[in-house]
Amino acid sequence: MYCFCYGDWMIFSFKKAHNRIVKNFSKRVLSLLVLMCVLSFASLYSIQSSAMMDDGEQSIGIGVNATRTPTAATPSSGEGKVVRVGWYEASYNYTDKFGRKTGIAYEYQQKIVTYTGWTYEYVEGTWPELLQMLMNGDIDLLSDVSFTAERAESILYPSLPMGTESYYIYVSPNNTELMSDDVSVFNNKKFAVNQGSIQEEILKDWARTNGITANIVEIIDQSNDESIDLLQTGDVDVFVSLDTYGRREECAPVCKIGSSDYYFAVSAQRPDILTDLDHALKTIQNEDPFYNQRLYQKYIWTFSTGIIFTKEERQWLENNSTIKVGYRDNYEPFCFEDDGYISGALKDFLEYASACVDGTVINYEAVAFGTTEEAIAALDAGEIDAVFPVNMSAYDSEEGDLFVTTPIMSTEIYALVRTGEDKAVFDAEGTRVVLLEGNVNFDNFVKDYFPEWEISWQPTLDKVYAAVENGTADCAMVNGYRINTNDRLRRRHKLSLLDTGEKMEFSFAVRRSDTILFSILDKTVSAIEEPVVDAMLSKYTNTTTKVSFSDYLRDNWAVAFAVTTVLVFLMLFLLLTRLKSDKMAQERQMLITATERDSLTGLYTRNIFFEYSSRMYRENPSNMMDAIVMNIEQFHVVNALYGWNFGDTVLKGLGDEIKKIIGGGAGIACRTTADRFEIYTKHIDDYQGLFDRFQRRLDECTEDVNIFLRMGVMPWHDGLEPVQLFDRARAACNMTRSGRHSRLVVFNEEMRTKEILEQRLLNDLKYAIENKEFLVYFQPKYNVQVDPPVIGSAEALVRWKHHELGMIPPGDFISLFEKSSQIGILDRYVWAETARYIAQWKEKYGKVIPISVNLSRIDIFDPDLEKTIEGIVEETGIGRENLHLEVTESAYTEGEEQILEVIRCFRSKGYHIEMDDFGTGYSSLNMLSRMSIDVLKLDRSFIKDIKGEDDDSKDVQMVELILDIARSLKLVVVAEGVETKEQMEFLKKRGCDLIQGFYFSKPLPADEFEEKAIKD
């Protein structure tokens, strides 16, 4: 039935297209005959425009075949049960403007029903009313219920939560009194909060902790929107709710007061559906561990709690009536001057930004400059306040004494190369790139992504393109949005486009002294959503570039008459052929094609493909069949650059090669979307060979264009059905990197297990910090220059005692947090815990042992680092000299001057600086002399192979050299990883000051270290 309906729809679509084509052909033929009589070359423009319109219309018909329909899950024993579900209007459940139910809870409930077979009856009310109804047994299921012991006595909870939510204090944007970091301003204020909710209990705890008297107004029968309205009327001062609530103009978040897991709660009278619910939730999580996160990203991240300006920012805007923005002229579609006024995406952006933050009106004045370099010079001179577009690294912005906002827009970057020579430009040594003078954005782009290239400059674009054509340069650069603008110039110089695989982001730049202006612009950028900016760019990207009649004739005079004549006769022939075709036979063929075969490639459509593959599996489940998924990299760009006909040629060529692979009954294949192919074929061993074969076919189809495949493979696995195989193959395909290598990934369970574990550890980081699962261990450093050796200091190390996984080795999470830029969160926790122990032992025993803590590269580049560490020292009351700061030698490899300045700043305040892992990284003797450090930590790699006094290895010589250098610089030396007496005696004899390692002590928990080092 489904196929029949789908086929009828396709017939209707093709009939409309057919009638439209016939009608257009007729009109075109008459027009061409008349125009040929008067021999007007202007007819060529009409022909081109009509051809472009036809291509667009036919493309719409082709795109219909990409429709995808999800498959249903197998219901559990709960099928047929009626479940009464509480419905409340909020971000988790809401009705859109078309009257459709939607929201994270609603979609989750629909997912659950695919495994339970339930039938829902919706009962409406406010959340507090529905919670009471759940407790009374008047409804069976309610979403977004946090766990409390009291509630657990009257309602049932499943074993898995829906997710974790945070709770915030909201105030009216007009109530500037309460927009303060000082929480005492909330004393004796009226707090509106849902009666019986978890946020009410969290609010009370927060008030007690901060010494606040909170006058709580319990909300029972009002929606969240009605509660927010109480802020405007002044009936309450504060509204406490989830991080997803808030209306941009009517309320603003001030501070977070807590968080908790939330669940689908079940009536105590319906334990039967709790069993079904548990089964469904566990199955969903097992099949898709990231389902909750994707729902949260889809629905919750789209809710804005509003961005507001501070008092200082409002005052700045009052004192400065206009913000002058300098922009690069003639830079379509981003910014250009039109009749003396700014135009382009920047114009629309500034108009939108003028009142997008809490209703505050901002006046912008745009000033045009010939180049970005000229605009930056004007900014330095104080003639303007900001510059756009700017693409700068953190280092370049610092060197230029500038701040760069969050990116506003981004664009893909392409290399322009001589046709036929584009394959080797990225791999060749000494590639020469030519850039336009004054365009600092491309200068910075090449430095960031292709630092080995040789850069030269030309004053005009024509000379830039000519340099590539005549061979004085190997390539030039162009951004994706300007390809059409510069296309005539590119074709004139016979150049081809090659995707670099990288993007350039454009931001505002302001002087570093204008910190308030930077904050205003950054908030403005954050307040404008990405789809809005994309629409602005699309508006100007689609504008047709005007071409003069003389320009057109100069480019096409040799073929003008020939093209016109050929087009006339060709169109007449096609028209007569179409009119004579059998319409009924065409419709029948379309029906077959639409329901079973992809019209372009001849492969199966998606639904038919999975029907046949499932049937093949059921008939012979032991037949070893692999699942292969392929994507063409950035195929939408290929269509945009070279047209739909070119894209169709690529797809058809790849489809033909697939048919050769599966010929003779080896398997079946389909095209599921515009550029995705799925193959169900007999098991093979050489996946790389298969991938290379497909890539070669693409190269043959596109000699002057680089197009790359991505391929994921799930080998046959006993017991896995085709749908499960292709889920894993798609996951493998998605894991391929979008560079020029590693475009083939074969799925394995280790990959899946590691990915799930790492994601879980990242998800649990916040919980572990809040619940003190991270334990600080201390490894003593012994002073061996006294007899007997005594503990002189120690190093703080971290261990993770996970609430479910138990003790996790540091190697499993430290590098993961560093890679995901989350290490700073853990470091701050370790610093605070270490300082707390130092202060505790000092108060308890009157004794202090200095402890060293690690600073990562991320910490060093944190602008709040000094404030954070100083705050910890001040809060705990310890001396700065008691908290040693360890920086690894490899941290000096980038941003050297900034790192040295940070270290000098800390050392000037009295902190002891230790260089960790010395001898394994970047330092030179000259570099070492410039470092403001107190201690060198000799890396364990030099120690581990030393046998004793008679050892004359290179490691021994290196250790002796380092000790001599340290002695000459009056630096204390700590040797790490000392495990034997021979190693200890060797180091002691050569003047090493401190020794750390298992020979003396392994890392100890705080209580054992206290017993060993402090009490003694």
Side-chain angles (χ1 to χ4, degrees), residues 714-730:
M714 176 57 194
W716 177 83
H717 191 283
D718 188 23
L720 289 184
E721 298 184 6
V723 170
Q724 296 168 306
L725 290 176
F726 279 101
D727 281 344
R728 289 161 171 77
R730 278 189 289 272

Side-chain angles (χ1 to χ4, degrees), residues 287-359:
E287 293 181 352
D288 187 355
F290 308 114
Y291 180 75
N292 294 12
Q293 293 171 259
R294 288 191 290 99
L295 275 190
Y296 196 90
Q297 181 176 358
K298 176 179 178 181
Y299 289 100
I300 303 307
W301 288 3
T302 60
F303 280 83
S304 174
T305 53
I307 297 175
I308 60 175
F309 288 137
T310 63
K311 289 181 180 179
E312 294 81 0
E313 291 163 349
R314 291 174 184 270
Q315 186 63 48
W316 190 96
L317 290 170
E318 290 177 7
N319 297 337
N320 299 269
S321 58
T322 302
I323 299 176
K324 290 186 177 181
V325 179
Y327 67 93
R328 177 186 169 186
D329 195 10
N330 298 319
Y331 202 53
E332 298 91 340
F334 301 99
C335 43
F336 56 96
E337 195 171 69
D338 187 13
D339 294 331
Y341 296 95
I342 184 176
S343 187
L346 178 62
K347 166 183 170 289
D348 292 0
F349 182 90
L350 295 179
E351 290 176 352
Y352 194 99
S354 63
C356 70
V357 178
D358 69 15

Side-chain angles (χ1 to χ4, degrees), residues 48 123 312 401 405 477 509 541 549 596 604 611 628 708 711 717 753 760 778 795 846 860 862 915 920 958 989 998 1010:
Q48 284 191 331
V123 180
E312 294 81 0
D401 199 27
T405 66
M477 312 301 288
T541 303
F549 185 67
E596 182 169 300
Y604 285 118
E611 176 64 32
I628 300 173
F708 298 102
M711 189 167 97
H717 191 283
T753 301
R760 178 172 185 182
F778 301 92
E795 179 181 4
I860 292 175
D862 180 0
M915 177 182 282
T920 62
M958 181 63 71
K989 183 176 180 181
F998 277 37
E1010 177 181 345

Side-chain angles (χ1 to χ4, degrees), residues 775-803:
L775 307 177
V776 179
Y777 277 49
F778 301 92
Q779 187 169 31
K781 304 174 187 175
Y782 278 80
N783 182 351
V784 296
Q785 295 305 321
V786 297
D787 196 12
V790 297
I791 296 176
S793 61
E795 179 181 4
L797 304 169
V798 66
R799 301 292 185 265
W800 188 352
K801 188 175 182 180
H802 194 278
H803 58 283

Side-chain angles (χ1 to χ4, degrees), residues 533-709:
V533 177
D534 290 342
M536 296 173 183
L537 285 168
S538 297
K539 173 182 175 182
Y540 294 95
T541 303
N542 294 331
T543 303
T544 303
T545 304
K546 296 180 180 179
V547 181
S548 68
F549 185 67
S550 60
D551 285 340
Y552 187 85
L553 286 180
R554 184 171 63 251
D555 291 344
N556 300 275
W557 65 269
V559 296
F561 280 106
V563 169
T564 303
T565 304
V566 169
L567 283 174
V568 170
F569 284 101
L570 177 61
M571 293 171 69
L572 283 172
F573 173 77
L574 291 175
L575 176 61
L576 293 173
T577 301
R578 286 182 179 275
L579 292 176
K580 293 178 180 179
S581 63
D582 187 344
K583 187 176 181 181
M584 293 300 296
Q586 184 182 44
E587 289 181 353
R588 286 195 297 270
Q589 184 60 42
M590 287 181 181
L591 177 61
I592 295 171
T593 302
T595 56
E596 182 169 300
R597 295 281 182 176
D598 172 47
S599 60
L600 180 64
T601 64
L603 301 176
Y604 285 118
T605 55
R606 183 181 186 278
N607 291 332
I608 295 296
F609 171 77
F610 277 104
E611 176 64 32
Y612 286 171
S613 61
S614 297
R615 185 184 303 172
M616 291 167 65
Y617 175 79
R618 289 193 300 268
E619 292 174 354
N620 191 359
S622 61
N623 192 17
M624 300 175 66
M625 303 289 286
D626 296 341
I628 300 173
V629 174
M630 289 191 299
N631 268 113
I632 299 176
E633 189 76 31
Q634 296 181 324
F635 186 69
H636 66 286
V637 177
V638 174
N639 274 334
L641 291 176
Y642 304 106
W644 286 79
N645 289 337
F646 179 83
D648 288 351
T649 300
V650 172
L651 295 173
K652 190 174 185 303
L654 185 56
D656 290 344
E657 194 65 26
I658 291 172
K659 282 187 279 188
K660 293 178 183 178
I661 296 294
I662 61 175
I668 59 175
C670 72
R671 182 166 74 111
T672 61
T673 59
D675 63 331
R676 171 172 285 179
F677 295 84
E678 299 190 353
I679 307 170
Y680 190 54
T681 184
K682 289 182 179 179
H683 176 69
I684 59 176
D685 296 320
D686 186 10
Y687 298 120
Q688 185 63 52
L690 182 64
F691 174 84
D692 293 341
R693 177 173 174 177
F694 288 135
Q695 185 63 60
R696 280 196 301 272
R697 182 56 187 266
L698 284 187
D699 293 342
E700 292 169 1
C701 294
T702 59
E703 293 183 1
D704 297 329
V705 182
N706 271 7
I707 300 179
F708 298 102
L709 274 180

Side-chain angles (χ1 to χ4, degrees), residues 16 68 134 224 228 321 338 359 436 438 458 513 675 724 823 830 855 861 925 976 1009:
K16 288 180 66 178
R68 300 177 64 183
L134 183 71
N224 280 283
I228 292 174
S321 58
D338 187 13
L436 184 64
Q458 291 291 341
S513 57
D675 63 331
Q724 296 168 306
I823 191 66
V830 173
L855 299 186
F861 287 99
L925 290 178
E976 294 183 285
F1009 179 77

